[in-house]
Amino acid sequence: MENFFDFLTHGIEQFVAYTAFPNMTVGHIIMITVGLIFIYLAISKEYEPLLLVPIGFGILIGNIPFLESAKLQIGIYEPGSVLNYLHFGVMKGIYPPLIFLGIGAMTDFSALLSNPKLMLLGAAAQVGIFGAYILALIIGFIPEHAAAIAIIGGADGPTAIFLASKLAPELICAIAISAYSYMALVPVIQPPIMKLLTNDKERRIRMKPPRSVSKTEKIMFPIVGLILTTFITPSALPLLGMLFFGNLLKESGVTKRLADTAKGALIDIVTILIGLTVGASTQATTFLTPESIGIFALGAASFVIATAGGVIFVKVMNLFLPEGKKINPLIGNAGVSAVPDSARVSQTIGLQYDQTNHLLMHAMGPNVAGVIGSAVAAGIMLSFFMG
Amino acid sequence: MENFFDFLTHGIEQFVAYTAFPNMTVGHIIMITVGLIFIYLAISKEYEPLLLVPIGFGILIGNIPFLESAKLQIGIYEPGSVLNYLHFGVMKGIYPPLIFLGIGAMTDFSALLSNPKLMLLGAAAQVGIFGAYILALIIGFIPEHAAAIAIIGGADGPTAIFLASKLAPELICAIAISAYSYMALVPVIQPPIMKLLTNDKERRIRMKPPRSVSKTEKIMFPIVGLILTTFITPSALPLLGMLFFGNLLKESGVTKRLADTAKGALIDIVTILIGLTVGASTQATTFLTPESIGIFALGAASFVIATAGGVIFVKVMNLFLPEGKKINPLIGNAGVSAVPDSARVSQTIGLQYDQTNHLLMHAMGPNVAGVIGSAVAAGIMLSFFMG
Amino acid sequence: MENFFDFLTHGIEQFVAYTAFPNMTVGHIIMITVGLIFIYLAISKEYEPLLLVPIGFGILIGNIPFLESAKLQIGIYEPGSVLNYLHFGVMKGIYPPLIFLGIGAMTDFSALLSNPKLMLLGAAAQVGIFGAYILALIIGFIPEHAAAIAIIGGADGPTAIFLASKLAPELICAIAISAYSYMALVPVIQPPIMKLLTNDKERRIRMKPPRSVSKTEKIMFPIVGLILTTFITPSALPLLGMLFFGNLLKESGVTKRLADTAKGALIDIVTILIGLTVGASTQATTFLTPESIGIFALGAASFVIATAGGVIFVKVMNLFLPEGKKINPLIGNAGVSAVPDSARVSQTIGLQYDQTNHLLMHAMGPNVAGVIGSAVAAGIMLSFFMG
Amino acid sequence: MFIAQALQNASDSTSTIVHRNSELFMKIDPYGIGMTVMGYSVVFIALLLLYVIFYNLSKAMTLNIRRILRKEGKTEEANKIEEISGEINAAIAYAIYLYFNELHDKENPIITINRVSKAYTPWSSKIYGLRQYPR
Amino acid sequence: MFIAQALQNASDSTSTIVHRNSELFMKIDPYGIGMTVMGYSVVFIALLLLYVIFYNLSKAMTLNIRRILRKEGKTEEANKIEEISGEINAAIAYAIYLYFNELHDKENPIITINRVSKAYTPWSSKIYGLRQYPR
Amino acid sequence: MFIAQALQNASDSTSTIVHRNSELFMKIDPYGIGMTVMGYSVVFIALLLLYVIFYNLSKAMTLNIRRILRKEGKTEEANKIEEISGEINAAIAYAIYLYFNELHDKENPIITINRVSKAYTPWSSKIYGLRQYPR
Ligand code: NA
Ligand code: NA
Ligand code: NA
């Protein structure tokens, strides 16, 4: 009997010890706040809600304090926990190519095909990646980490996660969060830079409406695109192979149901899992480190450099282009492939200076080219470090 | 040549030896009959068909007799067989949280929010769990098994499978089958108990229609709900985290496509796999044991206790509630969270005594609260045994 | 500084060494051409596009030349690469049963039930399997390889992959490609054989319209079908179990949403993954072998034998059938279960000789029976070799 | 002997077993005649049994259903059970249409039959309710 | 003691831990009374807290919303907040219909409430835009 | 040297390789100038080639298609190939609408172009059949 009350008291002791309260740290509170901010921005400001809601809620889930020593298989870093199993696809870089499959199936490359020279803008914006690489080395990151961080400048969540999983597994989480955060903030980051670097005349440049694109061209693009880009950088195959595969499913016209699933149920499921686990992997005890702060600083820098790079490149091109063929530098930012947000930014800013000048269509070109560009950049870095 | 006829005869011998007939036991016949009954009830009586059809057919698949010694990789317990791979998600408790994600995405907590005190009914009904725990200990189950079995009283398939996978892997199958069977039988089990415990006056109690619930409340519920419940029982995180995540996807209003997939393709796929493998794991040679019978007896008991507990709790509450705010005890059973069946039972019985008294809306509250309640109970037991 | 130029030159050297160009072989060119042909046939001729587009593009992806010694985790045979993870489902024979689940959910067995004797045609056509087995032994394949190759005659991609994964993992790829190629070529292979073996009178035989089939029969078919076929060949359980499970989901009438997902998102996802990885596994360096050529030759032979066997069997049956009940031999080919292509062939050829004689409905019977037939054949071979 | 072997096999890896059996067959069934005879006949037996069962079942069903219908006075439906030329023509028409449009879609057979499958059923008529529910 | 044990547990396999604890309980809580008392009360505490929070939250909300609406002059809407008998009857009607058609579909509860959930929200009204977008 | 290393690498674990290369770069390319020069130029080369190919391809296509159309007497369509202002305006209009409704949905670009993509195609016209088929 005495034994029993022993049990009760001990039980209560134990129960309390297992609740979140005694295990809570300042870090947990900070991260939970961050998670709530993500969710708020996603819902009320609608910044990339499909990414920020899962990530934000994932941050909450990942930062519920618990007695880690008790091996209750709760935490994402505890083998045997559900989150740990679902996180596998992030750690091994399996989810990103599947996301790319879906993106390929929902991306229309017509805008690009109707005016191929816009592809170069997609390349130009990748300067953000290499600029960030140099900065990362300067502030003291070792090269492989610097490379993994720099890719944030590619403005491509999946690409960033994929590269990080190969070069800097310990930084995946911070890199992914940083990449997605800035992608969501594109409408905030880019406008000032674009306005700063352009003059009124340039902002009013009109471009002639894109020409029609034939079905054949659209079918040939994923095929030629795959062979050409991966012949140059085979290490980009996992990403570009899937991207172009998805696009062929869409354009072939005979595999509609596969394309529908790839851009529907499949990408949704992977988005849910990648968002949730990336968010949950921000477990305060492992996430709040000086590195993480450095990574966020570099991420911001890379987006600024990329945007500026894209705009300036257009201005340089215009020096060589004849009147009437000049490009509006306000679409230069679109090489930052936060599809389709950066293209939308071009559209809004453009309208601010000419109510009838619609740049969206033209901006979509560099926008999708940027996806290819950053995948190629990731491929090169991979071959440099893993080769 | 002689050799060849040798081969023929031996071949036929062997072939016959590999057919089901020589390997059939009484157990196989019993289980196949059970499977057929499940399918019949699902199709003609429509008892939870989405669960019973897969489980029933799974029982058939799992009980086709075969020469186990021949390592043909057929059986669910043979490494390398397809069923064995698909069963992994049950053994490791991965499927249940995914089901909860979908349930969260399809559950509307308005009924609960419009009358929060109904949450207590969801707690009351969990007495079935602890009652069954005591009974299980009495009839001689060891504590960890007793706990895994007791959770059947939570009337939640996924929760039961999840807890069993951690505390009593060898009993998962019997526990899951028992849980799902009684969930399907709720319309048969509950009415007599409800009528027995209520008097005519009580059965006619009218409750005022629930008030409207604002979008903000519905968005805040999954967030506050997660933090609050998992701070108290972090070990319920895998289940409650996913449940509330799914619900936020639904209520945020900006992630419709993710919610649609979570409550569509994703939950359907997991339901097919969980039903099939749970059914198939009833392989006669391992399933027909005294334990299984005990588990079924305890399962029935737990449902009876839970229903009674819920009804009685309402009657006690009514002692303290002012006229006009009294609760109709016919919704007490709804804390047994076989959503939405037990709520439907309240509705039918209610109508039997007052053709114009619709209890469905009020019963949905305790119904969904019961899901949370049993997940919390599972969390506590986990921390007690795994801690 | 000198060091730095060193780096640049070396870097360029290295970069070039990693591009596809120095690693390209004649094999790569051949395979890429094959891939392009597959895609062309799929899109312009619409030969089984849902299979040939993924496989064709997979062949391209699998044959982008890269420096294999560099362990860049690109190739499907490199552990850690995404393709390698996705290929797991093929290597372990997990995808085929999932495809069968979907096929079951989209197949209507009414045509078969309304005239059960057509089931025998589904058996007859399986002579292609055993004919190919004999030929394979003659040209020197060892028995287990011969069996895995022979199943191509079953005209069932999933069945072929499943059997190969158990008996000849090293040949899966060639067997799968061969099976799918000939399934796509059914409209080209069968007509001449059918015309050769039938006379004008036979081709004009009219069959009375099939009778209505009751819901009960359709619900009982998957149940009885499962028990009966798997009692005889338990080793066909993984395939037939899933096929009949899917069909019950469809016919039960109470599990519509599960059937919809099984024949929708689920089968689409698996089709994408199986097609892509089977195609990619044709990596020139491992695929272009004498065996592969032998496998393709045998595949063609098996389809010819199967078609002939089906037609001849009908002619034999007709000897015993009374006037008015005779079967049109033009549906004999349909036992080759490339659903629904071979049935369509019966229809076209039939119309060529009698504009008003629609054989499609009758041909669907043997067509679906052929799926069951080849799964049974696969089961027998499995039990022979693995037993 | 085979069985004994099978039992002993239980301890080896799959591939070992497969290969041992394979060598055995190379010796005693070098041309695959045995495999062919047995395999082909088993395939036939399986489908023959299926045929026998459903041939009789459907016979029973049809009578049984017609009796029920007659009882309910649904005579015309009762006769419909026999012939469904109406539906079937529609079905064929549609099948042809699909055929000429070459929709390579395995679901065709379903569509072509759909109306037929709505035939009378002794099971709970609630079933139909479900079929219409919106996804 | 428990904690100490937990820390020491960290080195063992899950099942070992589970079993050790189990044996402990068999000794000190043979009839599960302790487990029942503690477990049941925790379940109540959890849902009780949830109740308290949302009881007060919803009170605050309602007032707050009504104030906003009043400010915007939407008085009738403001009152609607209190009672939704209109919707609710529709909802119930539909619920009954579903009930008698026995659609075993967990989404029912959603449907029954849908219109209600469209109530006024202080969040960005853009949200509604999304809800209609075609999949 | 690099290649030799690569070959030797084959025996090590990925992370080891990565780290060895990393240290090498720290020595010979401490500021990442080399990486930048090479990486950035490769990105440009890749997209430049893509540009060159499709610039010429589309030229060829357009001519080729117009020739075909002219042959078929579809002159107006032939001219349509050049300018699609009609469609494009519609597209933009819709894009704007979407834009102001802030539908964060990656499929937008598809919709905005849809009609355009229905332009004449030399491939089998059957293709269109499929696009309409009901899921
Ligand atoms: Na990019
Ligand atoms: Na419950
Ligand atoms: Na077949």
Side-chain angles (χ1 to χ4, degrees), chain B residues 3-4 6-8 10-15 17-18 39-40 43-46 49-50 67 69-71 73 263-265 268, chain D residues 1-3 6-7 9-14 17 21 25 27-29 33-35 37-38 42 123-124 126-127 130 133 135:
Chain B
N3 232 341
F4 172 69
D6 235 41
F7 172 75
L8 265 194
H10 281 311
I12 291 158
E13 252 177 51
Q14 177 188 32
F15 168 73
Y18 284 168
I39 295 171
Y40 173 80
I43 296 178
S44 62
K45 297 257 173 299
E46 290 196 21
L50 297 179
L67 185 59
S69 61
K71 285 176 72 181
Q73 303 189 327
K263 73 168 187 244
D268 287 343
Chain D
M1 150 206 145
F2 276 57
I3 307 313
L7 295 167
N9 281 345
S11 55
D12 308 339
S13 87
T14 310
I17 302 165
N21 289 324
F25 294 159
K27 268 208 263 39
I28 61 182
D29 186 26
I33 311 296
M35 173 73 80
V37 173
M38 277 187 291
V42 174
W123 295 77
S124 85
K126 284 188 222 119
I127 290 176
L130 245 191
Y133 99 70
R135 278 301 296 284

Side-chain angles (χ1 to χ4, degrees), chain A residues 100 122 125-126 129 151-157 159 334-339 366-375:
Chain A
F100 262 51
Q126 306 316 318
I129 295 174
I151 202 70
I152 294 171
D156 229 317
T159 306
V336 177
S337 61
V339 184
N367 215 186
V368 292
V371 177
I372 300 172
S374 48

Side-chain angles (χ1 to χ4, degrees), chain A residues 4 7 14 17 46 69 71, chain E residues 2-3 7 10 12 28 34 126:
Chain A
F4 173 68
F7 173 74
Q14 178 188 31
E46 290 196 21
S69 61
K71 286 176 72 181
Chain E
F2 276 55
I3 307 313
L7 295 167
D12 308 339
I28 60 182
K126 286 188 221 120

Side-chain angles (χ1 to χ4, degrees), chain B residues 122 126 129 153-156 159 335-338 367 369-375:
Chain B
Q126 307 315 319
I129 294 174
D156 228 317
T159 305
V336 177
S337 61
N367 215 188
V371 177
I372 300 172
S374 48

